Amino acid sequence: MLSQAAVCAFRASLKSWRHRTVLKAAFRARWSSSSASGAVTGMEEILARVVSPLPTYETREKSPPPPDANSLEFMHFYRSLDKEEKPDFLAKLSRDFGVDHKSVSELAGKLLDSQLRDLATILQVEDRLRYSLTPRYKQLLNHISRAEGGVKFLVDLRADVLEIISSRSSESPHLRSIVREFSTLDLEEDVNKVNAAIFYSISSTQAGLQGVELGNYLIKKVVRELQSEFPHIAQFSSLSPIPGFSSWLQGLLSQYRKEGRGLDLLTEQEWREVEEATDLSPSTSATDALRKLIATSEWMRSEHLSRFLEPVLMRLCAWYLFGEKRRGYALNPVANFHLQNGATMWRLNWHADTSPKGVANSCGIMVNYRYFLNETPKNSALYLQNKIVVASDQVLGLVSQFQKNSKL
């Protein structure tokens, strides 16, 4: 129960808050009427159409979900917006389709009036007040989370909101409420749709465990725990870095140049592209120019260079992982680890790690090692006993391209 003094103080602040809210609403209405543009009108129309009213407290459990078309229309419209338009759209969504502040104010007053009544009445008013704090747009976000690609859309939307807040490209105080609502979305149905798990990193934090091979044990343990919690998961894969690829490639280019075989690594058309991209001087060989180009990250900023280098670097990287060996086993330590555990060398991913470290280590390429649980014992035995690498068609195709272009 609240004390009489607290009730009085709350009533005074509530009255003041109501007054300020009315003034702000009047100002906003006046501003909107004088500066509304076609784009703003379009935003208002789309939001009015797709953001359904919040069901009443009495019908909250019985109301049907909004039509699927609402979610799809909202997603399509938002994706069509330019980056500069998104702050205004999200501010309008959070401000005009958020919490009904008038209803909250009224219920807060009723809660104060109910303090001298029985506990059941107080609890019911509290529950109504709690429900009234639900933003109107939350029902739409919940429904989007169940649509195809909806969770990914919401993750990207949240990232946009966080960027807008950090860059101060919108002064709307309502935007932070959207971020908070993401933590309360009902994603239970989407959890049941999860069918894949990706292992990003396995590392030891204990000095006494350095050099002790625990990776295989940890992977199997995590797989068992994930399957018990998410029985629908049937695909397990790593997303792994490729340390050493860039330094190996620099050494390979240097070796081929010294042996007079530099032109064997790329096609004639690809070498012409290198010459044009680097303004090759008469005193510089094409191989040295390519080495210098790859040694910097400048090529990552050029869409043309990136597109030209993709097939070249992808097939060279595939060969590095698949074909370069030490005592018959994969030269790359990460590849060797996963292959020992019975994984399949599954897919190379272009521009997967564009951080400075990722570009320096592996030209931004990462690789998936996929674990087919019924095949891992057989794959592990093939690798450890016969030194055979099990790989996907994508990897084998890239290796074949390398062998063809490198005349191996």
Side-chain angles (χ1 to χ4, degrees), residues 375-389:
E375 299 176 12
T376 51
K378 179 186 70 175
N379 293 348
S380 179
L382 282 173
Y383 182 70
L384 292 172
Q385 297 172 18
N386 303 318
K387 301 174 181 176
I388 294 175
V389 174

Side-chain angles (χ1 to χ4, degrees), residues 164-176:
I164 291 167
I165 293 172
S166 64
S167 64
R168 300 181 183 276
S169 53
S170 173
E171 298 299 326
S172 173
H174 299 83
L175 281 175
R176 293 185 184 276

Side-chain angles (χ1 to χ4, degrees), residues 202 213-221 337 340-342 371:
I202 299 172
E213 290 291 346
L214 292 175
N216 189 25
Y217 164 76
L218 291 174
I219 288 174
K220 290 178 179 177
K221 179 177 175 60
F337 166 79
Q340 284 181 357
N341 292 332
Y371 285 82

Side-chain angles (χ1 to χ4, degrees), residues 122-320:
I122 295 174
L123 291 177
Q124 185 184 57
V125 177
E126 286 180 349
D127 196 46
R128 285 175 175 271
L129 176 58
R130 190 178 300 111
Y131 178 70
S132 72
L133 289 167
T134 304
R136 180 176 163 184
Y137 60 75
K138 184 174 181 178
Q139 185 177 216
L140 174 66
L141 298 184
N142 266 325
H143 200 61
I144 289 174
S145 74
R146 300 184 181 99
E148 185 71 27
V151 173
K152 176 62 168 61
F153 173 84
L154 291 175
V155 170
D156 293 340
L157 179 71
R158 184 176 186 271
D160 288 345
V161 175
L162 291 173
E163 182 182 353
I164 291 167
I165 293 172
S166 64
S167 64
R168 300 181 183 276
S169 53
S170 173
E171 298 299 326
S172 173
H174 299 83
L175 281 175
R176 293 185 184 276
S177 65
I178 295 184
V179 178
R180 288 193 296 270
E181 289 304 321
F182 274 94
S183 63
T184 63
L185 290 180
D186 179 13
L187 300 178
E188 182 177 350
E189 291 189 19
D190 292 279
V191 167
N192 293 329
K193 296 178 185 177
V194 174
N195 62 4
I198 303 295
F199 308 122
Y200 181 72
S201 176
I202 299 172
S203 56
S204 174
T205 60
Q206 302 296 320
L209 294 177
Q210 294 296 322
V212 179
E213 290 291 346
L214 292 175
N216 189 25
Y217 164 76
L218 291 174
I219 288 174
K220 290 178 179 177
K221 179 177 175 60
V222 170
V223 165
R224 285 195 298 269
E225 291 185 1
L226 285 173
Q227 284 183 317
S228 65
E229 187 173 355
F230 307 102
H232 293 83
I233 292 182
Q235 302 178 50
F236 298 91
S237 175
S238 77
L239 179 60
S240 300
I242 312 173
F245 168 59
S246 295
S247 58
W248 169 84
L249 179 56
Q250 291 290 341
L252 181 71
L253 290 170
S254 178
Q255 175 189 336
Y256 267 53
R257 181 180 60 79
K258 290 177 181 177
E259 295 175 358
R261 301 170 54 210
L263 298 181
D264 289 348
L265 280 174
L266 277 64
T267 66
E268 292 183 7
Q269 176 60 35
E270 288 169 343
W271 281 121
R272 281 196 291 271
E273 291 272 6
V274 171
E275 292 173 0
E276 292 175 6
T278 57
D279 295 326
L280 192 64
S281 64
S283 61
T284 305
S285 69
T287 309
D288 284 338
L290 180 59
R291 286 183 62 199
K292 184 177 180 180
L293 180 64
I294 295 173
T296 70
S297 60
E298 294 300 316
W299 62 272
M300 291 284 291
R301 301 187 180 93
S302 167
E303 183 178 348
H304 172 72
L305 284 176
S306 182
R307 187 169 58 250
F308 147 61
L309 285 173
E310 179 179 357
V312 175
L313 294 176
M314 287 285 277
R315 69 173 183 257
L316 286 164
C317 188
W319 176 256
Y320 167 69

